[in-house]
């Protein structure tokens, strides 16, 4: 399956993400999940960025938290709400909100 | 005739949020969804408990005695009574030191025929592949 | 063009879950999709009328009304609403109230479902 | 005997925070303490009248009324309530509404404060 | 100070507990925090039970979750709501809800 | 004349819950608490950001532009304007890779005189010892 996973939190309270093994996966960082795109904890980038999934972060949610979209990790593509709609309809079949 | 299959995945323990209960009440609502559909069309729901979500399945929850509301356990039993497929991840039960003797297994005392299905995570992955849509709680 | 069903189970103020759901619904409508929004659990807060607009709190009545004019279909879980003291008489105009099977019915012919649980 | 001030900032249904706050208040009253209960944020849900009693949801109107008869003092944050559409006209009888300074005032002579934030 | 710390969750979302070093500390496990009193994860009891603080768990919240108060770790004392009130007034001066 | 000192400890990031904002609005309410007190009595509030709570202090939060509500940053500034002591844990700022150039430092543009206090965690411990009551958010 082609799965778009929404990560909405910085401190994850579930272990689901690492267990999902769809044929194609996108991780869309939204809400406090956008901290994964830029905050380094003890010098280390979030382990989510090591994923082989395609990585996206919502521009509006980055800005809301004071994160300049220009400063996110180069693996992460900054997207708008409109882009998220297109990703959901064109690139993935199912969604998971963790 | 068409069927839309939904997979409900419960990843969190209950009582902190009502989401695990709402997963079951919404899945049970598949029994009456035909009022919104054409003849012979249907929506079916499978429910899987994974991760800390398996803590919802511990038996003898005394929520009604202590807090005057129905336990998550009673919702699991209602789901079985409505013949839902209820999967519980075997690896996660083991991870949290539990066995089948610690959890709800059936709703026999209410006249239910279904048992919960304690299965390897792989089976839950397979279920997720088969569903049209997934709802994570 | 397709159909998107969004289910939002989390609360209005503080968590931005409903804010997110409303913005995503708007973006999908703008692209010509049909959008159903189901609110359940604490998310039913969205359906209560006469929420005061303060700049310190989310205020979604206005954007929701605008989106309903563009075709957004908003339905609240009746039992979840009643349990919270939200009745027919104080429901935002245009928001429907049904039992939980409505959400499943909406997913039947949805091309995509985004279920926002996570609390 | 002392005075306990409890502040509860979390929501009614689902999280058992308000249930916990109400039970603790009852236990403290039974031991002869004076108890103030402040509800703010999503916790202001407690103050809305006519919540329907279903066995699947917490239903605190009855225990809160009983405890108010025993002297429990319940006050809701006015701005938090208004932002959610809870007005004077639909507030549970006996529950007061004030601005946030009321909570601080209550702590002034409290022997113990339990602030339930954590969401 | 003498601090009563209420732990209300199983999956902790804050690191505060390990940093508090009051002269006297009690940890009161309530709500989903009571899982710390009995659940072993991968065979290991919760690290909270290694604390030198006095440990308590609320009977009503254990029972609500299907945990027999007789089966909690021997380091944990099972208490009622009334006991919690007495602990707060008699044994501690301040509280922290994490 | 008596003073009751309250310590507000913010341990979580904002926007997931409104608690960090409510911490600041409640602390600011100490300005008007005298209506409930006898002459010369007062309640004072110190606020400390620790752990992931320090993420609340990142500057240039565009919540108003994107979601039409005030940012947590604006609440921190209001707190400074009301002359609250606002502590930010230095070790936690460093832990999350931030320095003083990344955070709100003052409310100068609004006419405020106070600066935030970036301090070692030890200072925050000392503050907690001095307070009569603690409120963790």
């Amino acid at each position: 399956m082609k799965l778009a996973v929404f990560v909405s939190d910085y401190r994850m309270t579930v272990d689901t993400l690492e267990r999902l093994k769809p044929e194609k996966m996108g991780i869309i960082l939204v809400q406090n999940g956008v901290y994964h795109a830029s905050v380094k904890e003890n010098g280390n980038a979030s382990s989510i960025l090591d994923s082989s999934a395609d990585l996206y972060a919502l521009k509006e949610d980055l800005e809301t938290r004071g994160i300049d979209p220009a400063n996110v990790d180069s693996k992460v593509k900054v997207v708008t709400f409109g882009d998220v709609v297109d990703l959901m309809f064109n690139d993935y079949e199912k969604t998971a909100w963790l | 005739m068409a069927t839309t299959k939904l997979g409900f995945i419960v990843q969190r323990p209950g009582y902190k949020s009502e989401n695990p209960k709402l997963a079951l009440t919404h899945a049970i609502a598949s029994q009456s969804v035909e009022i919104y559909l054409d003849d012979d069309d249907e929506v079916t729901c499978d429910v899987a408990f994974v991760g800390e979500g398996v803590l919802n399945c511990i038996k003898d929850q005394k929520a009604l005695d202590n807090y005057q509301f129905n336990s998550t356990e009673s919702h699991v039993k209602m789901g079985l009574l409505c013949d839902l497929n209820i999967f519980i991840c075997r690896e996660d039960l083991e991870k949290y030191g539990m066995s089948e003797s610690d959890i709800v297994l059936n709703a026999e005392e209410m006249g239910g025929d279904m048992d919960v299905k304690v299965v390897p995570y792989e089976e839950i992955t397979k279920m997720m592949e088969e569903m049209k849509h997934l709802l994570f709680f | 063009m397709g159909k998107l069903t969004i289910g939002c189970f989390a609360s209005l103020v503080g968590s931005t879950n409903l804010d997110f759901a409303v913005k995503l619904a708007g973006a999908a409508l703008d692209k010509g999709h049909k959008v159903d929004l189901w609110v359940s659990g604490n998310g039913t807060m969205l359906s209560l009328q006469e929420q005061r607009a303060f700049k310190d709190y989310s205020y979604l009545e206005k954007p929701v009304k605008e989106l309903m004019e563009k075709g957004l279909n908003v339905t609240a879980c009746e039992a979840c609403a009643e349990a919270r003291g939200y009745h027919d008489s104080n429901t935002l105009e245009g928001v429907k109230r049904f039992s939980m099977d409505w959400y499943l019915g909406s997913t039947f012919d949805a091309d995509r479902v985004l279920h926002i649980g996570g609390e």
Side-chain angles (χ1 to χ4, degrees), chain A, chain B, chain C:
Chain A
M1 68 181 156
K2 297 177 184 173
L3 185 68
V5 180
F6 289 78
V7 171
S8 65
D9 220 338
Y10 183 46
R11 180 78 64 118
M12 301 284 282
T13 55
V14 293
D15 303 317
T16 311
L17 183 60
E18 54 240 54
R19 299 170 83 183
L20 292 168
K21 303 284 177 218
E23 164 203 340
K24 175 180 161 78
M25 182 156 79
I27 296 177
I28 306 178
L29 303 171
V30 298
Q31 300 184 340
N32 283 357
V34 299
Y35 289 122
H36 292 287
S38 75
V39 173
K40 288 189 168 58
E41 197 170 325
N42 297 319
N44 304 312
S46 167
S47 61
I48 286 185
L49 304 187
D50 298 334
S51 166
S52 60
D54 291 316
L55 297 164
Y56 306 92
L58 185 61
K59 178 174 167 285
E60 286 86 343
D61 287 352
L62 288 163
E63 289 174 353
T64 293
R65 288 157 186 77
I67 304 168
D68 185 339
N71 293 342
V72 306
D73 192 283
S74 61
K75 291 175 191 151
V76 179
K77 191 173 170 195
V78 175
V79 291
T80 64
F81 274 104
D83 297 331
V84 171
V85 171
D86 287 341
L87 284 170
M88 288 173 67
F89 276 91
N90 303 335
D91 295 29
Y92 302 97
E93 301 153 348
K94 304 181 199 177
T95 66
W97 180 284
L98 300 191
Chain B
M1 160 161 188
T3 299
T4 292
K5 292 182 181 178
L6 304 180
F8 288 62
I9 319 293
V10 181
Q11 331 164 68
R12 293 178 172 85
Y15 301 113
K16 179 184 168 66
S17 127
E18 63 182 322
N19 277 338
K21 286 185 188 178
L22 289 174
L24 288 155
T25 49
H26 280 75
I28 289 166
S30 57
Q31 307 262 309
S32 50
V33 68
E34 63 268 16
I35 58 167
Y36 297 102
L37 305 178
D38 289 336
D39 280 359
D40 296 331
D41 287 342
E42 59 175 6
V43 177
T44 64
C45 300
D46 285 1
V47 181
F49 291 92
V50 299
E52 289 174 18
V54 301
L55 297 170
N56 286 291
C57 304
I58 296 178
K59 67 183 182 187
D60 297 328
Q61 296 175 25
K62 296 186 170 49
L64 202 53
D65 297 338
N66 287 299
Y67 285 101
Q68 296 74 52
F69 52 69
N70 287 330
S71 66
T72 317
E73 177 186 18
S74 71
H75 284 75
V76 174
K77 287 187 178 173
M78 280 303 296
L80 292 170
L81 212 57
C82 296
D83 294 334
L84 296 181
N85 285 318
I86 296 184
F87 300 96
I88 301 175
C89 177
R90 181 181 300 281
E91 292 91 330
D92 292 331
L93 269 189
E94 285 167 9
K95 178 175 177 185
Y96 295 106
M98 296 192 291
S99 67
E100 297 196 7
S101 64
D102 298 307
I103 59 169
V104 192
L105 292 175
N106 56 55
E108 243 173 29
E109 79 279 23
M110 300 157 84
D113 298 322
M114 292 282 279
D115 287 354
V116 299
K117 296 169 178 60
V118 177
V119 297
Y121 181 75
E122 203 190 321
E123 292 280 315
I124 293 170
T125 297
K126 219 176 281 173
M127 178 273 266
M128 290 197 273
E129 297 276 352
E130 282 168 16
M131 300 290 128
K132 180 161 182 209
H133 301 296
L134 299 175
L135 293 79
F136 285 74
F137 287 80
Chain C
M1 294 301 101
K3 175 181 168 184
L4 169 65
T5 297
I6 302 173
C8 190
F9 282 55
S11 55
L12 177 58
V13 178
S15 103
T16 53
N17 285 336
L18 276 170
D19 306 75
F20 179 92
V22 168
K23 295 244 180 225
L24 187 72
L29 287 166
D30 284 346
K31 288 185 176 277
H33 299 295
K34 183 177 175 336
V35 184
D36 280 356
L37 173 60
W38 167 255
V39 289
S40 189
N42 290 324
T44 54
M45 291 180 98
L46 183 71
S47 69
L48 187 62
Q49 69 180 14
E50 288 179 17
Q51 306 193 21
R52 278 264 293 278
F54 293 115
K55 268 281 173 261
D56 278 1
Y57 301 88
S58 319
Y59 176 67
L60 294 171
E61 183 170 324
K62 192 164 158 277
V64 165
K65 278 184 174 164
E66 288 167 3
L67 294 180
M68 287 196 294
E69 278 168 24
K70 290 189 192 176
L72 177 66
N73 204 349
V74 185
T75 303
C77 171
E78 191 163 28
C80 297
E82 287 290 327
R84 287 165 174 77
Y86 313 155
H87 310 298
D88 250 338
S89 58
N90 55 14
T91 295
L92 193 63
E93 201 189 322
V95 173
K96 288 181 280 291
R97 292 159 35 111
F98 285 112
S99 53
M100 298 176 186
D101 42 22
W102 186 90
Y103 183 35
L104 306 191
S106 171
T107 68
F108 176 77
D109 61 349
D111 298 289
R112 295 293 182 269
V113 173
L114 179 61
H115 174 84
I116 301 175
E119 257 193 341

